[in-house]
Amino acid sequence: MTRADALAYWTNPDRETFVAEQDGAVLGTYYLKPNQLGGGAHVANCGYMTAADAQNRGIARAMATHSLGHAKERGFTAMQFNFVIASNTRAIHLWESLGFTTLCRLPAAFIHPTTGPTDALVMFKTF
Ligand SMILES: CC(C)(COP(=O)(O)OP(=O)(O)OC[C@H]1O[C@@H](n2cnc3c(N)ncnc32)[C@H](O)[C@@H]1OP(=O)(O)O)[C@@H](O)C(=O)NCCC(=O)NCCS
């Protein structure tokens, strides 16, 4: 994916995009959107990224906490993560600590660039 494609995806008009910043520096970003259209639009979906040099400082926890509060304010009643890579133990630890549970495991759904076929998790939290 090119930088332009990634930016277009992250800031698509179908979602709200936020940044975590300190002293003018962007330390992280997330988006919030409906997970599905129509009958599934009451379930939120988010994506989060922390800058490489700001990892392990609680930035993603702060963004996720903000997103859960904002999703509730927007009227969403649950949040779903559709594709959490099973080897992403940092993210899984974080989502579980915020009350998400794993609903299912998609076998070898992701081809990791270095380790190859890897499971992906569907994680869910009701508000
Ligand atoms: C996943 C990601 C968003 C986490 O961001 P972060 O700002 O470093 O996360 P935080 O500092 O808020 O929290 C990290 C937590 O994981 C823990 N942790 C760190 N390394 C870990 C590991 N290898 N295994 C398990 N837990 C780990 C930390 O102790 C911390 O938990 P705590 O708050 O209970 O102490 C970041 O690594 C990232 O941008 N990754 C690439 C994109 C991505 O994977 N997004 C999520 C997709 S589901």
Side-chain angles (χ1 to χ4, degrees), residues 91-102:
I92 293 166
H93 163 82
L94 198 48
W95 309 150
E96 285 179 342
S97 77
L98 291 167
F100 285 82
T101 53
T102 297

Side-chain angles (χ1 to χ4, degrees), residues 27 47-51 54-63 81 83-85 88-95 97:
L27 304 183
Y48 309 85
M49 267 191 298
T50 297
Q55 305 258 337
N56 268 320
R57 286 167 44 188
I59 305 296
R61 183 178 289 285
M63 293 193 294
F81 299 147
F83 207 70
V84 181
I85 308 308
N88 195 350
T89 51
R90 182 181 300 184
I92 293 166
H93 163 82
L94 198 48
W95 309 150
S97 77

Side-chain angles (χ1 to χ4, degrees), residues 53-116:
D53 58 0
Q55 305 258 337
N56 268 320
R57 286 167 44 188
I59 305 296
R61 183 178 289 285
M63 293 193 294
T65 301
H66 182 271
S67 69
L68 288 164
H70 191 66
K72 262 193 233 181
E73 281 173 17
R74 282 270 183 257
F76 291 105
T77 59
M79 191 175 287
Q80 180 170 329
F81 299 147
N82 301 307
F83 207 70
V84 181
I85 308 308
S87 57
N88 195 350
T89 51
R90 182 181 300 184
I92 293 166
H93 163 82
L94 198 48
W95 309 150
E96 285 179 342
S97 77
L98 291 167
F100 285 82
T101 53
T102 297
L103 295 187
C104 79
R105 191 174 185 102
L106 309 170
F110 178 66
I111 307 297
H112 192 282
T114 53
T115 55

Side-chain angles (χ1 to χ4, degrees), residues 33-45 71 75-79 124 127:
K33 68 177 184 63
N35 191 49
Q36 299 288 340
L37 300 177
H42 59 292
V43 177
N45 170 252
F76 291 105
T77 59
M79 191 175 287
F124 197 84
F127 301 155

